[in-house]
Amino acid sequence: MGSLFQFNGFNMFPDLSRPFNTTYKCYSVSMLPGNERQDVENGGKIIMPPSALDQLTRLNVVYPMLFKLTNSKINRVTHAGVLEFVADEGKIYIPYWMMRNLLLEEGDFVEIECVSIPVATYSKFEPQSVEFLDITNPKAVLENCLRNFACLTTGDLIAIKYNNTTYELSVLETKPGPAVTIIECDMNVEFAAPVGYKEPERKEKEEEPMTIDPTELMPEPTGFVAFKGEGTRLDGKKKKDNGANDVVPVQRQAYVRGIPDYDHPFGLLRFDRSVRKVELAEAKPEEDQFREFQGEGFSLKKSRK
């Protein structure tokens, strides 16, 4: 524009492309007059005076308006957007977590410069407490909380609020640069292990001895069982209990442990309701098997010859 109105090297209008660079007194949001502004405290935007808006409109600033905040005493830098232009002249109000990153006290001077930074494509965060793992869907929670932010700066310690709890996250990495804007962007997010988190130690489970004898689960023998009845005296008297008539333990079937089918196809459920006979390891020959009432009789009375 200045080239259109130059006469003999004299520029009738000043150059309007000069940057916005001003110093303000910095205060936390809690010092802002009026009602409490939790929307400012839980985000990454600042409140500036109306004169800043008047000055910015006269300059060729790039929208959205993004600013670099610098503590010149110790050369600490962060970035932020602007929420409103309602602060008192010569003052700005910023979130408390941002003041802590810049190591500022109430009323300290901070330098503000309007900048243009790239759009974020990747960021990595490190939660500062293991309680962050209690959140069911941390990426969705972070995405919702970052809607109140305009920028991310590598090395910052941001604070987000969820379920009346404030969680602090350290910005470990941002791409494509150390400072990025997250307004209308498609950003990949990763989380590092929280501070103080320890991997659980995996202990190999020791095989515990079975409390139940597998043979007790086998069915009782059916059919005829030898010498299972009770004896009776011929004279009608009761038997003497001398311990000889203890109950003989029932002989159950031999326990055979099943063998898994290693060739079973994956994803196939098979319901086998057929009854399989248990094959004994050592089948007794028929000669040795017990046969009831196969003995020879004897007469108590001797025969006369």
Side-chain angles (χ1 to χ4, degrees):
M1 183 175 181
S3 60
L4 298 178
F5 297 93
Q6 287 186 356
F7 297 94
N8 298 326
F10 176 73
N11 190 358
M12 297 179 61
F13 296 93
D15 186 9
L16 300 182
S17 62
R18 65 183 186 274
F20 176 85
N21 195 332
T22 313
T23 301
Y24 293 99
K25 281 188 175 182
C26 179
Y27 294 91
S28 61
V29 179
S30 59
M31 304 293 290
L32 182 66
N35 298 329
E36 186 178 3
R37 297 294 301 271
Q38 286 295 330
D39 56 334
V40 185
E41 190 65 54
N42 297 330
K45 298 179 181 179
I46 63 177
I47 296 180
M48 301 178 67
S51 59
L53 176 60
D54 183 55
Q55 186 177 355
L56 287 166
T57 54
R58 297 180 181 182
L59 302 175
N60 294 330
V61 296
V62 179
Y63 289 89
M65 296 182 185
L66 303 175
F67 301 92
K68 181 173 74 171
L69 285 70
T70 307
N71 183 356
S72 303
K73 294 180 180 179
I74 56 174
N75 198 25
R76 293 290 292 264
V77 176
T78 189
H79 295 78
V82 59
L83 185 63
E84 296 175 358
F85 294 92
V86 296
D88 297 334
E89 291 300 330
K91 299 179 182 179
I92 63 168
Y93 297 91
I94 68 176
Y96 179 73
W97 65 264
M98 196 177 293
M99 288 191 66
R100 191 169 56 179
N101 285 336
L102 295 174
L103 300 179
L104 292 171
E105 299 291 339
E106 302 287 349
D108 285 351
F109 286 96
V110 61
E111 182 181 340
I112 295 186
E113 179 184 356
C114 186
V115 294
S116 177
I117 54 179
V119 179
T121 58
Y122 170 83
S123 62
K124 186 174 184 180
F125 299 89
E126 180 187 36
Q128 298 301 293
S129 64
V130 294
E131 284 77 13
F132 188 77
L133 299 176
D134 298 334
I135 300 177
T136 305
N137 192 345
K139 285 190 176 182
V141 172
L142 180 64
E143 179 183 357
N144 185 54
C145 294
L146 288 181
R147 293 177 181 176
N148 298 324
F149 288 72
C151 311
L152 290 176
T153 307
T154 301
D156 273 2
L157 189 66
I158 67 173
I160 62 174
K161 193 171 184 179
Y162 176 71
N163 279 352
N164 297 324
T165 304
T166 301
Y167 300 94
E168 292 184 337
L169 303 175
S170 176
V171 184
L172 297 182
E173 184 181 0
T174 56
K175 292 180 181 179
V180 292
T181 174
I182 57 175
I183 299 176
E184 297 181 0
C185 70
D186 186 9
M187 179 177 64
N188 296 324
V189 176
E190 287 187 3
F191 291 99
V195 175
Y197 174 75
K198 294 182 180 179
E199 289 285 346
E201 297 180 359
R202 297 182 180 180
K203 297 182 179 179
E204 297 182 358
K205 294 184 178 180
E206 298 180 357
E207 295 185 0
E208 299 180 357
M210 297 184 65
T211 56
I212 301 176
D213 188 358
T215 57
E216 296 180 3
L217 303 177
M218 300 300 294
E220 295 185 2
T222 57
F224 175 78
V225 180
F227 305 111
K228 192 177 181 182
E230 298 180 357
T232 306
R233 290 174 60 100
L234 297 177
D235 53 5
K237 295 181 179 180
K238 294 183 178 181
K239 298 184 296 180
K240 295 181 179 179
D241 189 7
N242 54 3
N245 297 327
D246 294 340
V247 179
V248 179
V250 179
Q251 186 70 25
R252 298 175 182 264
Q253 298 180 6
Y255 172 73
V256 180
R257 186 171 182 177
I259 300 176
D261 183 7
Y262 295 103
D263 298 327
H264 186 83
F266 178 77
L268 175 64
L269 297 178
R270 182 178 297 162
F271 300 94
D272 190 0
R273 295 183 174 87
S274 61
V275 179
R276 299 179 181 179
K277 296 183 180 180
V278 179
E279 298 180 0
L280 300 179
E282 296 181 359
K284 294 184 179 180
E286 295 183 358
E287 300 176 357
D288 299 340
Q289 292 182 355
F290 174 79
R291 296 182 180 180
E292 60 274 12
F293 305 115
Q294 296 295 321
E296 297 180 359
F298 294 91
S299 175
L300 298 176
K301 184 178 180 181
K302 296 182 180 180
S303 60
R304 297 180 180 178
K305 291 182 180 180

